[in-house]
Amino acid sequence: MSRRGDGAKPKTYEGCRDLPFQVMRELPCCFVLSTGRCGTKLLTHLLLLAPQLDVYHIPTPELEFLSRLAFAEGLRELDAYSKAVMAARYNLWESSFLRKHGYVETSNRITFFAPHLYRILPPSKFVQVVRHPADFARSAMRREYYNGNPSDIGRIEPPRGADLPWHTMDRLEKVGWLWNATNEFIEKFKVTCAPDRFLLVRAEDLFRDPEAIRRVQRFIGVQDESSDSRVRHVMRRKVNEGQGGSFPKYPAWTQAMKQAFIRQVPLAARYG
């Protein structure tokens, strides 16, 4: 979801040649890092209340397969993956820049490109959205993660040689591992990031507290005059609510399921 349109491009040869570098030097932009299934579509709708933002939840191309490769080898191939994400997104960045808008991307597919974006976009900021792992897992299990969901093309796996019995783990354990591995990747990125360019938000706050979206807006640097009642109206719409299969809530899991899952999510203690 976004607002599209183009402003005027430079009229001179020199201006046209320099435009891409100016875009990357100056574009106000923010990227939301997450596992997915944690309220990022709701966040998109809430951020669109600010008219000076272009907000994309599923931009094209989606980068599903490439995000999986970026997790596996992106840090070893910084130049290649920096150029890949630049090629995939530059036209959107330019459109926002020419219209004097900020650019925000909320797709979880962008998560593993955070180090590359930080490198090529000096104004970039990053918001980590974390959802309780058991609630994330229930949503993921209902969406058939690691079970033939078409988006499994982009689902991360442990590196070869990892001390993990991946092929004998059940789907719930794999989903737990995904939650932990994704947030671990983000945590490692965070320590390389200037403090004023990173914000942590809990998904549960986005679902119920208008102040959570105000914090994100202030962090990005935009003003929104929407009343709290309008924000709450958007929150109540339950956009992208899980549909499809069924899976029990955490209290109904067997003790064995809980124990196996907890082993895969040691980072859960960090987020409370």
Side-chain angles (χ1 to χ4, degrees):
M1 180 176 296
S2 65
R3 303 182 184 91
R4 294 301 307 277
D6 292 312
K9 292 192 177 185
K11 303 289 186 190
T12 66
Y13 172 79
E14 291 79 8
C16 289
R17 295 279 289 177
D18 186 60
L19 179 61
F21 302 100
Q22 186 181 8
V23 169
M24 288 185 284
R25 284 194 309 266
E26 301 177 14
L27 175 68
C29 52
C30 182
F31 299 90
V32 176
L33 314 179
S34 77
T35 58
R37 310 306 311 155
C38 62
T40 52
K41 189 168 184 180
L42 171 62
L43 178 59
T44 303
H45 284 262
L46 291 168
L47 288 173
L48 280 168
L49 294 173
Q52 63 270 49
L53 289 180
D54 294 329
V55 190
Y56 294 85
H57 182 56
I58 307 179
T60 301
E62 286 192 48
L63 304 178
E64 286 185 307
F65 179 52
L66 196 62
S67 71
R68 174 178 133 200
L69 296 182
F71 172 78
E73 63 185 28
L75 294 178
R76 296 193 303 272
E77 302 287 347
L78 273 175
D79 283 345
Y81 282 87
S82 295
K83 291 174 181 175
V85 74
M86 186 191 311
R89 294 291 183 260
Y90 173 76
N91 287 345
L92 297 179
W93 299 344
E94 181 189 271
S95 175
S96 293
F97 178 79
L98 292 174
R99 299 169 65 229
K100 296 181 170 55
H101 281 195
Y103 175 93
V104 180
E105 185 165 337
T106 63
S107 169
N108 66 302
R109 303 301 180 193
I110 207 67
T111 297
F112 303 121
F113 294 96
H116 312 88
L117 295 162
Y118 188 87
R119 183 174 180 237
I120 63 178
L121 294 166
S124 57
K125 294 184 176 183
F126 300 85
V127 174
Q128 178 186 10
V129 178
V130 178
R131 187 179 186 184
H132 190 285
D135 293 332
F136 163 77
R138 179 172 181 258
S139 181
M141 293 296 285
R142 293 177 68 191
R143 289 292 184 104
E144 299 292 336
Y145 277 35
Y146 296 109
N147 198 39
N149 179 312
S151 291
D152 281 347
I153 188 175
R155 212 77 68 202
I156 61 173
E157 294 185 355
R160 290 183 181 179
D163 185 19
L164 197 68
W166 183 254
H167 295 293
T168 60
M169 289 165 58
D170 65 26
R171 287 179 52 229
L172 183 59
E173 290 175 291
K174 290 180 178 180
V175 164
W177 175 88
L178 180 152
W179 181 93
N180 201 81
T182 302
N183 284 300
E184 183 178 44
F185 182 97
I186 298 170
E187 290 290 335
K188 288 179 178 178
F189 166 68
K190 181 167 67 174
V191 301
T192 72
C193 195
D196 63 347
R197 292 174 65 182
F198 193 94
L199 177 70
L200 171 66
V201 176
R202 286 174 171 77
E204 291 75 15
D205 293 335
L206 285 176
F207 296 147
R208 62 175 179 250
D209 184 5
E211 177 55 26
I213 188 61
R214 305 295 188 207
R215 284 179 59 218
V216 177
Q217 289 171 334
R218 289 193 297 268
F219 174 71
I220 295 173
V222 297
Q223 296 294 324
D224 172 37
E225 302 302 326
S226 301
S227 65
D228 281 358
S229 62
R230 186 180 181 196
V231 171
R232 290 188 186 280
H233 174 74
V234 175
M235 289 177 169
R236 288 194 294 269
R237 286 162 58 186
K238 296 185 181 296
V239 295
N240 210 28
E241 186 176 22
Q243 298 175 356
S246 62
F247 195 80
K249 295 183 178 181
Y250 183 77
W253 295 5
T254 67
Q255 194 61 29
M257 289 167 66
K258 292 178 179 178
Q259 290 175 348
F261 182 76
I262 289 170
R263 284 196 294 269
Q264 300 301 327
V265 293
L267 272 180
R270 174 171 298 192
Y271 303 118

PDB file of all heavy atoms in Angstrom, residues 150-170:
ATOM      1  N   PRO A 150       3.402 -21.284  -0.413  1.00  0.00           N
ATOM      2  CA  PRO A 150       4.198 -20.765  -1.531  1.00  0.00           C
ATOM      3  C   PRO A 150       5.349 -19.852  -1.098  1.00  0.00           C
ATOM      4  O   PRO A 150       6.381 -19.798  -1.770  1.00  0.00           O
ATOM      5  CB  PRO A 150       3.162 -19.993  -2.363  1.00  0.00           C
ATOM      6  CG  PRO A 150       1.875 -20.672  -2.076  1.00  0.00           C
ATOM      7  CD  PRO A 150       1.950 -21.088  -0.635  1.00  0.00           C
ATOM      8  N   SER A 151       5.177 -19.174   0.034  1.00  0.00           N
ATOM      9  CA  SER A 151       6.239 -18.289   0.506  1.00  0.00           C
ATOM     10  C   SER A 151       7.388 -19.033   1.177  1.00  0.00           C
ATOM     11  O   SER A 151       8.371 -18.412   1.581  1.00  0.00           O
ATOM     12  CB  SER A 151       5.666 -17.245   1.480  1.00  0.00           C
ATOM     13  OG  SER A 151       4.840 -16.329   0.786  1.00  0.00           O
ATOM     14  N   ASP A 152       7.276 -20.356   1.274  1.00  0.00           N
ATOM     15  CA  ASP A 152       8.404 -21.123   1.798  1.00  0.00           C
ATOM     16  C   ASP A 152       9.649 -20.971   0.926  1.00  0.00           C
ATOM     17  O   ASP A 152      10.754 -21.284   1.364  1.00  0.00           O
ATOM     18  CB  ASP A 152       8.040 -22.612   1.914  1.00  0.00           C
ATOM     19  CG  ASP A 152       7.199 -22.920   3.148  1.00  0.00           C
ATOM     20  OD1 ASP A 152       7.111 -22.045   4.040  1.00  0.00           O
ATOM     21  OD2 ASP A 152       6.629 -24.022   3.215  1.00  0.00           O
ATOM     22  N   ILE A 153       9.476 -20.475  -0.291  1.00  0.00           N
ATOM     23  CA  ILE A 153      10.626 -20.204  -1.149  1.00  0.00           C
ATOM     24  C   ILE A 153      11.600 -19.236  -0.469  1.00  0.00           C
ATOM     25  O   ILE A 153      12.809 -19.275  -0.708  1.00  0.00           O
ATOM     26  CB  ILE A 153      10.183 -19.636  -2.510  1.00  0.00           C
ATOM     27  CG1 ILE A 153      11.350 -19.533  -3.481  1.00  0.00           C
ATOM     28  CG2 ILE A 153       9.515 -18.274  -2.357  1.00  0.00           C
ATOM     29  CD1 ILE A 153      10.955 -19.087  -4.877  1.00  0.00           C
ATOM     30  N   GLY A 154      11.081 -18.388   0.411  1.00  0.00           N
ATOM     31  CA  GLY A 154      11.927 -17.427   1.103  1.00  0.00           C
ATOM     32  C   GLY A 154      12.173 -17.755   2.561  1.00  0.00           C
ATOM     33  O   GLY A 154      12.778 -16.959   3.278  1.00  0.00           O
ATOM     34  N   ARG A 155      11.727 -18.920   3.010  1.00  0.00           N
ATOM     35  CA  ARG A 155      11.851 -19.251   4.431  1.00  0.00           C
ATOM     36  C   ARG A 155      13.292 -19.629   4.761  1.00  0.00           C
ATOM     37  O   ARG A 155      13.899 -20.477   4.093  1.00  0.00           O
ATOM     38  CB  ARG A 155      10.922 -20.417   4.758  1.00  0.00           C
ATOM     39  CG  ARG A 155      10.360 -20.381   6.172  1.00  0.00           C
ATOM     40  CD  ARG A 155       9.252 -19.378   6.315  1.00  0.00           C
ATOM     41  NE  ARG A 155       8.059 -19.753   5.571  1.00  0.00           N
ATOM     42  CZ  ARG A 155       7.135 -18.906   5.186  1.00  0.00           C
ATOM     43  NH1 ARG A 155       7.264 -17.620   5.451  1.00  0.00           N
ATOM     44  NH2 ARG A 155       6.070 -19.315   4.523  1.00  0.00           N
ATOM     45  N   ILE A 156      13.848 -19.003   5.780  1.00  0.00           N
ATOM     46  CA  ILE A 156      15.248 -19.259   6.123  1.00  0.00           C
ATOM     47  C   ILE A 156      15.410 -20.618   6.794  1.00  0.00           C
ATOM     48  O   ILE A 156      14.475 -21.169   7.371  1.00  0.00           O
ATOM     49  CB  ILE A 156      15.822 -18.149   7.023  1.00  0.00           C
ATOM     50  CG1 ILE A 156      15.055 -18.068   8.357  1.00  0.00           C
ATOM     51  CG2 ILE A 156      15.786 -16.803   6.300  1.00  0.00           C
ATOM     52  CD1 ILE A 156      15.681 -17.116   9.366  1.00  0.00           C
ATOM     53  N   GLU A 157      16.624 -21.144   6.680  1.00  0.00           N
ATOM     54  CA  GLU A 157      17.019 -22.398   7.323  1.00  0.00           C
ATOM     55  C   GLU A 157      18.396 -22.208   7.933  1.00  0.00           C
ATOM     56  O   GLU A 157      19.134 -21.293   7.552  1.00  0.00           O
ATOM     57  CB  GLU A 157      17.057 -23.541   6.302  1.00  0.00           C
ATOM     58  CG  GLU A 157      15.704 -23.901   5.721  1.00  0.00           C
ATOM     59  CD  GLU A 157      15.784 -25.128   4.799  1.00  0.00           C
ATOM     60  OE1 GLU A 157      16.912 -25.622   4.560  1.00  0.00           O
ATOM     61  OE2 GLU A 157      14.722 -25.576   4.342  1.00  0.00           O
ATOM     62  N   PRO A 158      18.771 -23.078   8.876  1.00  0.00           N
ATOM     63  CA  PRO A 158      20.116 -22.974   9.459  1.00  0.00           C
ATOM     64  C   PRO A 158      21.184 -23.220   8.395  1.00  0.00           C
ATOM     65  O   PRO A 158      20.946 -23.938   7.412  1.00  0.00           O
ATOM     66  CB  PRO A 158      20.136 -24.083  10.503  1.00  0.00           C
ATOM     67  CG  PRO A 158      18.716 -24.445  10.741  1.00  0.00           C
ATOM     68  CD  PRO A 158      17.993 -24.179   9.467  1.00  0.00           C
ATOM     69  N   PRO A 159      22.369 -22.648   8.573  1.00  0.00           N
ATOM     70  CA  PRO A 159      23.447 -22.918   7.618  1.00  0.00           C
ATOM     71  C   PRO A 159      23.886 -24.374   7.684  1.00  0.00           C
ATOM     72  O   PRO A 159      23.707 -25.056   8.698  1.00  0.00           O
ATOM     73  CB  PRO A 159      24.570 -21.979   8.089  1.00  0.00           C
ATOM     74  CG  PRO A 159      24.271 -21.728   9.533  1.00  0.00           C
ATOM     75  CD  PRO A 159      22.776 -21.745   9.655  1.00  0.00           C
ATOM     76  N   ARG A 160      24.444 -24.839   6.592  1.00  0.00           N
ATOM     77  CA  ARG A 160      24.963 -26.205   6.581  1.00  0.00           C
ATOM     78  C   ARG A 160      26.024 -26.357   7.665  1.00  0.00           C
ATOM     79  O   ARG A 160      26.853 -25.474   7.869  1.00  0.00           O
ATOM     80  CB  ARG A 160      25.573 -26.528   5.221  1.00  0.00           C
ATOM     81  CG  ARG A 160      24.539 -26.664   4.115  1.00  0.00           C
ATOM     82  CD  ARG A 160      25.192 -27.048   2.805  1.00  0.00           C
ATOM     83  NE  ARG A 160      24.214 -27.159   1.733  1.00  0.00           N
ATOM     84  CZ  ARG A 160      24.517 -27.474   0.472  1.00  0.00           C
ATOM     85  NH1 ARG A 160      25.787 -27.698   0.134  1.00  0.00           N
ATOM     86  NH2 ARG A 160      23.562 -27.554  -0.433  1.00  0.00           N
ATOM     87  N   GLY A 161      25.994 -27.483   8.331  1.00  0.00           N
ATOM     88  CA  GLY A 161      26.960 -27.729   9.390  1.00  0.00           C
ATOM     89  C   GLY A 161      26.527 -27.223  10.746  1.00  0.00           C
ATOM     90  O   GLY A 161      27.255 -27.407  11.741  1.00  0.00           O
ATOM     91  N   ALA A 162      25.345 -26.583  10.817  1.00  0.00           N
ATOM     92  CA  ALA A 162      24.858 -26.087  12.104  1.00  0.00           C
ATOM     93  C   ALA A 162      24.555 -27.265  13.027  1.00  0.00           C
ATOM     94  O   ALA A 162      24.101 -28.327  12.581  1.00  0.00           O
ATOM     95  CB  ALA A 162      23.605 -25.239  11.910  1.00  0.00           C
ATOM     96  N   ASP A 163      24.810 -27.068  14.299  1.00  0.00           N
ATOM     97  CA  ASP A 163      24.577 -28.121  15.294  1.00  0.00           C
ATOM     98  C   ASP A 163      23.104 -28.132  15.674  1.00  0.00           C
ATOM     99  O   ASP A 163      22.711 -27.723  16.763  1.00  0.00           O
ATOM    100  CB  ASP A 163      25.463 -27.873  16.518  1.00  0.00           C
ATOM    101  CG  ASP A 163      25.367 -29.008  17.537  1.00  0.00           C
ATOM    102  OD1 ASP A 163      24.925 -30.112  17.145  1.00  0.00           O
ATOM    103  OD2 ASP A 163      25.708 -28.765  18.714  1.00  0.00           O
ATOM    104  N   LEU A 164      22.291 -28.602  14.734  1.00  0.00           N
ATOM    105  CA  LEU A 164      20.850 -28.558  14.901  1.00  0.00           C
ATOM    106  C   LEU A 164      20.231 -29.678  14.073  1.00  0.00           C
ATOM    107  O   LEU A 164      20.526 -29.803  12.877  1.00  0.00           O
ATOM    108  CB  LEU A 164      20.315 -27.197  14.430  1.00  0.00           C
ATOM    109  CG  LEU A 164      18.923 -26.762  14.857  1.00  0.00           C
ATOM    110  CD1 LEU A 164      18.883 -26.490  16.364  1.00  0.00           C
ATOM    111  CD2 LEU A 164      18.500 -25.506  14.106  1.00  0.00           C
ATOM    112  N   PRO A 165      19.391 -30.519  14.668  1.00  0.00           N
ATOM    113  CA  PRO A 165      18.776 -31.628  13.916  1.00  0.00           C
ATOM    114  C   PRO A 165      17.604 -31.157  13.056  1.00  0.00           C
ATOM    115  O   PRO A 165      16.459 -31.597  13.231  1.00  0.00           O
ATOM    116  CB  PRO A 165      18.333 -32.582  15.023  1.00  0.00           C
ATOM    117  CG  PRO A 165      17.998 -31.679  16.171  1.00  0.00           C
ATOM    118  CD  PRO A 165      18.980 -30.540  16.096  1.00  0.00           C
ATOM    119  N   TRP A 166      17.886 -30.291  12.107  1.00  0.00           N
ATOM    120  CA  TRP A 166      16.832 -29.610  11.353  1.00  0.00           C
ATOM    121  C   TRP A 166      15.852 -30.573  10.703  1.00  0.00           C
ATOM    122  O   TRP A 166      14.627 -30.373  10.743  1.00  0.00           O
ATOM    123  CB  TRP A 166      17.476 -28.718  10.297  1.00  0.00           C
ATOM    124  CG  TRP A 166      16.494 -27.909   9.490  1.00  0.00           C
ATOM    125  CD1 TRP A 166      16.114 -28.104   8.195  1.00  0.00           C
ATOM    126  CD2 TRP A 166      15.766 -26.751   9.944  1.00  0.00           C
ATOM    127  NE1 TRP A 166      15.197 -27.155   7.809  1.00  0.00           N
ATOM    128  CE2 TRP A 166      14.964 -26.310   8.855  1.00  0.00           C
ATOM    129  CE3 TRP A 166      15.717 -26.054  11.152  1.00  0.00           C
ATOM    130  CZ2 TRP A 166      14.119 -25.207   8.953  1.00  0.00           C
ATOM    131  CZ3 TRP A 166      14.871 -24.956  11.243  1.00  0.00           C
ATOM    132  CH2 TRP A 166      14.096 -24.541  10.154  1.00  0.00           C
ATOM    133  N   HIS A 167      16.350 -31.615  10.104  1.00  0.00           N
ATOM    134  CA  HIS A 167      15.484 -32.495   9.314  1.00  0.00           C
ATOM    135  C   HIS A 167      14.629 -33.417  10.185  1.00  0.00           C
ATOM    136  O   HIS A 167      13.720 -34.082   9.669  1.00  0.00           O
ATOM    137  CB  HIS A 167      16.318 -33.303   8.321  1.00  0.00           C
ATOM    138  CG  HIS A 167      16.966 -32.431   7.283  1.00  0.00           C
ATOM    139  ND1 HIS A 167      16.241 -31.753   6.331  1.00  0.00           N
ATOM    140  CD2 HIS A 167      18.273 -32.097   7.070  1.00  0.00           C
ATOM    141  CE1 HIS A 167      17.050 -31.049   5.560  1.00  0.00           C
ATOM    142  NE2 HIS A 167      18.284 -31.234   5.990  1.00  0.00           N
ATOM    143  N   THR A 168      14.880 -33.447  11.478  1.00  0.00           N
ATOM    144  CA  THR A 168      14.024 -34.230  12.372  1.00  0.00           C
ATOM    145  C   THR A 168      13.186 -33.338  13.289  1.00  0.00           C
ATOM    146  O   THR A 168      12.358 -33.848  14.038  1.00  0.00           O
ATOM    147  CB  THR A 168      14.866 -35.192  13.235  1.00  0.00           C
ATOM    148  OG1 THR A 168      15.788 -34.430  14.033  1.00  0.00           O
ATOM    149  CG2 THR A 168      15.631 -36.176  12.353  1.00  0.00           C
ATOM    150  N   MET A 169      13.389 -32.025  13.192  1.00  0.00           N
ATOM    151  CA  MET A 169      12.576 -31.104  13.984  1.00  0.00           C
ATOM    152  C   MET A 169      11.173 -31.014  13.389  1.00  0.00           C
ATOM    153  O   MET A 169      11.009 -31.080  12.167  1.00  0.00           O
ATOM    154  CB  MET A 169      13.228 -29.712  14.016  1.00  0.00           C
ATOM    155  CG  MET A 169      14.486 -29.657  14.861  1.00  0.00           C
ATOM    156  SD  MET A 169      15.493 -28.172  14.562  1.00  0.00           S
ATOM    157  CE  MET A 169      14.344 -26.848  14.925  1.00  0.00           C
ATOM    158  N   ASP A 170      10.170 -30.844  14.251  1.00  0.00           N
ATOM    159  CA  ASP A 170       8.819 -30.667  13.712  1.00  0.00           C
ATOM    160  C   ASP A 170       8.605 -29.203  13.311  1.00  0.00           C
ATOM    161  O   ASP A 170       9.454 -28.339  13.550  1.00  0.00           O
ATOM    162  CB  ASP A 170       7.754 -31.166  14.694  1.00  0.00           C
ATOM    163  CG  ASP A 170       7.691 -30.367  16.000  1.00  0.00           C
ATOM    164  OD1 ASP A 170       8.083 -29.179  16.003  1.00  0.00           O
ATOM    165  OD2 ASP A 170       7.239 -30.933  17.013  1.00  0.00           O
TER     166      ASP A 170
END
